[in-house]
Structure formats: structure tokens, C-alpha cells
Amino acid sequence: MASSQYTLPPLPYAYDALEPIISQQIMQIHHQKHHQTYVTNLNNALASQASAMQAQDIPALLALQQNIKFNAGGHINHSLFWKNLSPPASPATDINASAPNLKKSIDERWGSLDAFMDAFKKTLLALQGSGWGWLVVRAPGQGGASGKRLEIVTTKDQDPVDSKDGTPVFGVDMWEHAYYLQYFNNKAAYVDGMWKVINWAVAEERFKNGIETSSLLKL
Ligand SMILES: [Fe+2]
């Protein structure tokens, strides 16, 4: 069965645009090698799945499930991540100007932006092994809250945020490939630097209207 191929989405900025927070070297390897590999492996797994379906090979289909989940998750997570970053000192990194509604909800939820940042950092640094840290928003009624509710969650490996846990507002890649060449084992410095490159305009948009679907798994 012929199938369309997923492709690597271009970065919305130059490879060196996030310096000095994230080096050009990291961005190039992360995007061109790591993200590309998730896309390539996803396409291969989907092709194998199509063959297995045609052959009605159930054991093969079951064996492919984790492969598809891992690589599709990697494609989704990185596509979201690139978009929720912005060059340091660019207008989108100003939360007050770019995300007034989200800022208000963060203040209500954690008491202050600083308290939120501290909680986010603690949660991400407690993540064992590879994974992601996310600010998510839960719809009214989801999780028992009466209104929209912000939460900090982590996902393991390349698991995407489960929709029952909320909608991603922004994510931070906590795999070593995201920081090790520049920060070595100093994960705290990497997370601290993130606040200078979070794209609050994208975060505000996701907070209000959900994640953009243009770069996700729709062909
Ligand atoms: Fe990554």
C-alpha cells in the first residue's frame, strides 16, 4: 500500500538564532540528525505496518506498535518544541507583552511567575532518564477543576502528552542530546536558560486555542 511520507519541518529560525542559550551545533544535530531520524523511522515503521496489515500478520503489527509510538511521539514532541522557542530578546520572549492571558493564569495557579518557574524546574530536574517537561492546560471539568487549569507534567522517552493530561502549552526537551554538548551534566543551567528562549506568543496561542496542527501528524 502506497503511503505518504512525513517530512522534517523546517525550523522557524536559523540554527544559530538561539545562541548563546542553545548552540548552533546542538540545534543542527538535534534537528537534522535526531528529529530527522524520528521522521525516517516513523515512515519506515508505517510502511512495515501497511505490509503487515496486507498480510494480516498480527504478531508483526503488535511488534510495530511501540516503534510507531516512539517515533511518532518524537516527531510530535520536537515539532511542538521548535515552535515554542524563539531567539533571545525577540518580542515573543516577553511574557507580559506576548502572553497576558497565560501570565494571568500562571499567577493565579502558582502565585507568581517566579514560583511557576521554580516549580517547573524542580519537576524537570526530578525526571529520571530521557523525557520531556511540559506546561499543559486542562479544559474546564478535566481533572475535576471548574475552569481551565494549568499543570506541569513530564513524559518519558518520546511519549507525547496524553490528551487526558491536558494540551501542551510549551515543552522542554530533557534528553541529553538537547543540552549535553553545551551544558554537560548541568541540567539546571539548561532549564534556567530556557526562560530566555520560550516563545510566549506561541504558548499564549496554545493556551487559548490548543496546539497548532499544521506540523503534526496530518498528511
Ligand atoms: Fe530531542
Side-chain angles (χ1 to χ4, degrees), residues 2-141:
S3 64
S4 302
Q5 297 276 301
Y6 289 106
T7 56
L8 183 68
L11 290 183
Y13 35 71
Y15 283 112
D16 64 355
L18 302 184
E19 290 199 349
I21 307 302
I22 306 177
S23 71
Q24 177 175 353
Q25 182 189 35
I26 286 179
M27 290 303 293
Q28 279 180 321
I29 295 171
H30 201 171
H31 182 252
Q32 294 175 341
K33 304 295 185 187
H34 290 279
H35 190 171
Q36 178 65 63
T37 299
Y38 298 120
V39 172
T40 301
N41 289 346
L42 174 61
N43 286 328
N44 290 340
L46 290 173
S48 297
Q49 184 190 47
S51 300
M53 284 180 73
Q54 200 150 29
Q56 297 186 331
D57 186 343
I58 302 300
L61 285 171
L62 290 174
L64 281 164
Q65 283 185 348
Q66 179 55 30
N67 187 348
I68 292 171
K69 180 182 180 185
F70 180 80
N71 289 295
H75 182 32
I76 289 172
N77 290 340
H78 287 88
S79 297
L80 290 168
F81 180 53
W82 307 134
K83 287 189 172 182
N84 68 223
L85 300 179
S86 186
S90 60
T93 60
D94 180 348
I95 186 173
N96 291 307
S98 300
N101 294 288
L102 176 57
K103 170 73 163 48
K104 182 167 177 284
S105 288
I106 286 174
D107 288 342
E108 288 169 359
R109 175 71 177 82
W110 284 280
S112 69
L113 183 60
D114 283 346
F116 159 67
M117 289 174 169
D118 194 43
F120 192 81
K121 180 179 175 180
K122 280 197 174 84
T123 302
L124 267 59
L125 294 185
L127 180 66
Q128 295 180 337
S130 297
W132 290 77
W134 304 93
L135 175 65
V136 302
V137 59
R138 295 178 181 169

